[in-house]
Amino acid sequence: MTVKSAATAEPALGNGTRHLIHCPPSWDHYLLDAPSVGEEHFVLAGELPRAHPLFNDGPGHFHDAQIVTETIREIGEFVGHRYFGVPQDRPGLFFGFHLDLTELRAWRTDWADSTESGAARITTNIRAKPANAMNGVPRGLDFHIEVRINDMPCCTGTAGLVFLMPQLHRNHLAHNRQALRAAPELDDAPDGALRPVDPAEVGRSAVSNVVISEPSESSRGRLTTWVLTDNPNPVFAPEGGHLSGTHLLESLRQTSLLAAGRTFGLAPARSTLASSEVHFRSYAEPGLPLRCTAVPGALGRDEYGRPAVPVTLTVTQRRRAVAEARTTVVQDF
């Protein structure tokens, strides 16, 4: 017999209602209402959003896979506080994501087997495991993710979350700001005013959802853009005084599509990130320029013969690494 406890996630910017179901592998901590010290299992069930200001903006060939990282970001801290006994005053910070789309067919918006309401169902099976516990309280959580759309397995992934003591968190923020502003000789800024790229080149329709500038290309084949940080869209609102994870992830996605399109002619309207591995190295200050450099690899084919381009990306601020990523852009037929 499996005991299930459910929580309902409130709609967030058009995400729709989702249900987080706890499926504990053991009765021990559940019956005692004590924090878990081992792996816990969850199911996050709902519908793919139909009115999200970012994820539903674009050509509509694919659902946006960032829905997965966004929902994990939304529940990760809650899971640590509610089920693993992490004190409420310790914020949770994700330091890495790794996603692989295992079945692109399920991510197509014309996937036929939808619900009666006309919206596709998305179900995410989540395993959360405590990491680096001290006195029974984990300093972080490791997540393993398996996603189904309309009951078809279509994505696997991992995510890493760390919880910081309040004073350590404040010190970390202060040190990061001081380090960025204390070395003007390392200033790295664009030569002139920034102009957003054409939304169609990065798989968006609204200019307000474009977060990278027109690029410049070096002699080594690198493509350099600048991350636009003065965007009024509430989706990209800063978190705790620094650039949000959503903002950074979207800039990496857009730069990947732009690099594959400009270098090899892949059509952004029919392209998506079939894989992405992202590591966050430090915070990004909204008031300082952010450089995003992409190095596309050789054009190849995936197992189904679709054009595929690996891209290596680095986001820096005053020459300090903010995020590093490896992605694979695939164009659908």
Side-chain angles (χ1 to χ4, degrees):
M1 179 178 181
T2 300
V3 176
K4 296 186 178 181
S5 58
T8 299
E10 295 297 325
L13 292 173
N15 262 340
T17 301
R18 291 150 296 161
H19 302 280
L20 179 65
I21 304 167
H22 179 210
C23 308
S26 169
W27 283 70
D28 297 342
H29 299 281
Y30 182 80
L31 294 179
L32 296 174
D33 196 27
S36 177
V37 295
E39 184 175 274
E40 294 295 324
H41 299 176
F42 303 87
V43 176
L44 185 64
E47 296 180 344
L48 284 164
R50 290 178 288 175
H52 193 280
L54 177 65
F55 302 145
N56 294 118
D57 176 53
H61 186 82
F62 285 114
H63 294 292
D64 196 325
Q66 287 189 110
I67 295 163
V68 178
T69 53
E70 190 68 10
T71 52
I72 296 301
R73 288 181 68 243
E74 289 176 359
I75 70 163
E77 190 175 89
F78 167 78
V79 165
H81 292 156
R82 171 64 181 84
Y83 297 100
F84 291 93
V86 178
Q88 292 288 333
D89 61 354
R90 297 185 189 180
L93 304 173
F94 278 97
F95 59 84
F97 289 100
H98 186 182
L99 289 184
D100 288 305
L101 304 192
T102 56
E103 179 53 81
L104 284 187
R105 179 175 45 157
W107 290 95
R108 295 174 185 151
T109 55
D110 62 358
W111 176 236
D113 186 19
S114 62
T115 62
E116 292 181 1
S117 65
R121 302 183 306 273
I122 182 167
T123 305
T124 306
N125 292 298
I126 303 164
R127 301 200 309 268
K129 186 176 181 180
N132 301 321
M134 177 172 286
N135 297 324
V137 178
R139 294 183 175 181
L141 293 175
D142 294 327
F143 292 93
H144 178 79
I145 305 157
E146 295 178 354
V147 181
R148 292 173 176 263
I149 294 179
N150 292 340
D151 297 325
M152 176 178 284
C154 60
C155 176
T156 61
T158 59
L161 175 68
V162 63
F163 292 95
L164 296 180
M165 299 284 284
Q167 186 59 47
L168 179 61
H169 185 219
R170 288 191 290 269
N171 291 344
H172 188 49
L173 282 170
H175 174 75
N176 187 71
R177 292 186 180 121
Q178 182 180 10
L180 284 171
R181 300 178 186 280
E185 68 275 8
L186 297 181
D187 193 21
D188 186 24
D191 294 333
L194 298 176
R195 183 166 60 89
V197 298
D198 185 336
E201 286 199 270
V202 292
R204 297 299 179 202
S205 297
V207 176
S208 61
N209 282 328
V210 175
V211 295
I212 61 172
S213 71
E214 273 290 335
S216 60
E217 293 179 89
S218 75
S219 59
R220 297 180 181 179
R222 289 192 176 107
L223 183 144
T224 297
T225 68
W226 295 92
V227 180
L228 307 177
T229 60
D230 58 352
N231 198 302
N233 192 326
V235 173
F236 305 118
E239 299 174 347
H242 53 83
L243 222 62
S244 70
T246 302
H247 201 148
L248 289 171
L249 288 169
E250 177 65 9
S251 68
L252 292 167
R253 188 199 70 85
Q254 291 188 13
T255 306
S256 297
L257 290 181
L258 187 68
R262 292 274 178 107
T263 306
F264 295 108
L266 269 65
R270 300 199 313 279
S271 297
T272 190
L273 302 192
S275 69
S276 58
E277 184 175 1
V278 181
H279 295 278
F280 297 107
R281 301 302 185 190
S282 65
Y283 294 112
E285 293 292 314
L288 296 175
L290 273 169
R291 180 191 292 269
C292 185
T293 301
V295 182
L299 175 65
R301 300 277 176 175
D302 71 1
E303 59 182 317
Y304 297 100
R306 291 178 289 230
V309 178
V311 184
T312 301
L313 305 106
T314 305
V315 178
T316 57
Q317 191 166 54
R318 286 201 165 175
R319 307 187 192 281
R320 297 179 74 231
V322 171
E324 296 169 342
R326 290 182 296 177
T327 66
T328 301
V329 181
V330 172
Q331 179 185 292
D332 204 11
F333 296 120

